[in-house]
Amino acid sequence: MKDNTNHIPSIFDSASCFQGLYPDELEKIKNHKTRVQYLKGETIFKQGAFSPHVTYVLEGLVRVYLQTGHNRQLNIRLAAPGDFLSFSSVFGENTYQYSAMAIKDAWVCMIEKEALTNLLQTNADFALRIVSRNCRNETQLLQVIANLSYKQMRGKLASALLYLSSDPFLKEKVFHFLTRQDIADFAAISTESTIKFLKEFETENIIELKGKDILIKDRNKLELISRNS
């Protein structure tokens, strides 16, 4: 973890949700935030630990996961620039409900939750922008529940590939930073099954495997598998 902030743009320059704040509001946030760099593989925060901050991703990619057993994890989502983490702390959660790890070098801005709570209470436009940015997280959580509840393994993996290759992550070349175990944890299946079905998808000309990279060649077929398997 590094606390060198010389070359990273201000959160107020790069984050659209902070645009339009009044000068006194900007000053309050500036006085209650810290920018920190996490290197690839570093834990940003851990499930069950005390949560004094809301974390905003400025740069990089962050894997968000639940620790479901001693050596078992369930990946919930990826956080890209513009995403908030641990936002539930604003509404009274005193501990982190999940863990977060940088899967590539990342800059984050840690905002004291009391300062953000005050801003949400006094600026309705800002609150609405924050809510709208967080709506897609709810959709992803519902997809995770659906995968666990009724999908077969091929369908689970297809859903995970569709999510990981969606617009927010295309420019990040996300598969370069994910192991096969990471992908398996997004699909909630074993690593062995993940490798097997990836090869099947390649044989069926749905994807192309190039080392760690996965190229989606037929998104329509992948969507059919996700819906029907």
Side-chain angles (χ1 to χ4, degrees):
M1 179 177 69
K2 296 182 179 179
D3 196 5
N4 175 2
T5 61
N6 292 332
H7 71 279
I8 289 297
S10 165
I11 186 174
F12 308 113
D13 297 330
S14 61
S16 60
C17 61
F18 288 97
Q19 301 301 314
L21 294 181
Y22 294 110
D24 61 322
E25 294 173 331
L26 287 171
E27 193 63 29
K28 286 178 182 178
I29 292 295
K30 285 179 181 178
N31 292 335
H32 294 88
K33 70 173 181 61
T34 303
R35 287 177 297 181
V36 182
Q37 185 185 33
Y38 289 88
L39 302 181
K40 178 182 177 180
E42 284 193 302
T43 297
I44 297 174
F45 55 78
K46 191 168 179 61
Q47 182 177 328
F50 180 62
S51 58
H53 304 102
V54 174
T55 304
Y56 182 86
V57 181
L58 289 168
E59 183 177 285
L61 282 173
V62 176
R63 179 170 63 91
V64 179
Y65 64 94
L66 287 174
Q67 195 74 40
T68 59
H70 182 65
N71 289 312
R72 296 184 62 188
Q73 297 176 359
L74 174 64
N75 288 335
I76 303 171
R77 65 183 180 101
L78 287 179
D83 286 336
F84 283 93
L85 300 170
S86 61
F87 199 77
S88 61
S89 64
V90 170
F91 303 101
E93 294 286 354
N94 292 319
T95 58
Y96 293 114
Q97 302 303 298
Y98 47 76
S99 298
M101 175 184 289
I103 63 169
K104 63 180 290 191
D105 292 357
W107 282 91
V108 303
C109 188
M110 293 183 171
I111 307 169
E112 292 180 18
K113 60 184 180 182
E114 290 81 6
L116 192 57
T117 299
N118 290 336
L119 185 54
L120 289 168
Q121 290 172 336
T122 57
N123 189 320
D125 289 339
F126 173 75
L128 184 60
R129 289 196 295 272
I130 295 292
V131 170
S132 66
R133 288 200 69 93
N134 282 279
C135 280
R136 75 167 184 258
N137 296 337
E138 181 179 347
T139 301
Q140 172 58 17
L141 288 174
L142 291 173
Q143 182 63 61
V144 169
I145 294 169
N147 283 349
L148 292 173
S149 299
Y150 69 86
K151 288 189 178 181
Q152 300 173 20
M153 286 190 288
R154 274 173 61 92
K156 291 179 179 181
L157 181 58
S159 294
L161 293 177
L162 288 168
Y163 170 69
L164 294 170
S165 62
S166 58
D167 288 340
F169 312 125
L170 281 177
K171 64 180 180 180
E172 299 287 349
K173 298 182 178 178
V174 64
F175 291 111
H176 287 271
F177 305 102
L178 295 173
T179 66
R180 293 300 189 251
Q181 178 66 61
D182 290 332
I183 296 171
D185 289 341
F186 272 107
I189 62 177
S190 69
T191 307
E192 293 77 11
S193 295
T194 297
I195 294 170
K196 171 189 171 184
F197 291 126
L198 285 175
K199 290 179 179 177
E200 285 187 8
F201 290 165
E202 184 175 41
T203 300
E204 296 166 20
N205 209 32
I206 297 172
I207 65 172
E208 182 179 354
L209 302 176
K210 287 187 174 182
K212 290 189 68 175
D213 202 13
I214 300 173
L215 305 177
I216 309 300
K217 299 179 67 177
D218 194 330
R219 198 169 187 87
N220 289 334
K221 283 186 180 178
L222 207 57
E223 288 172 349
L224 281 173
I225 294 170
S226 174
R227 287 197 300 268
N228 300 326
S229 297

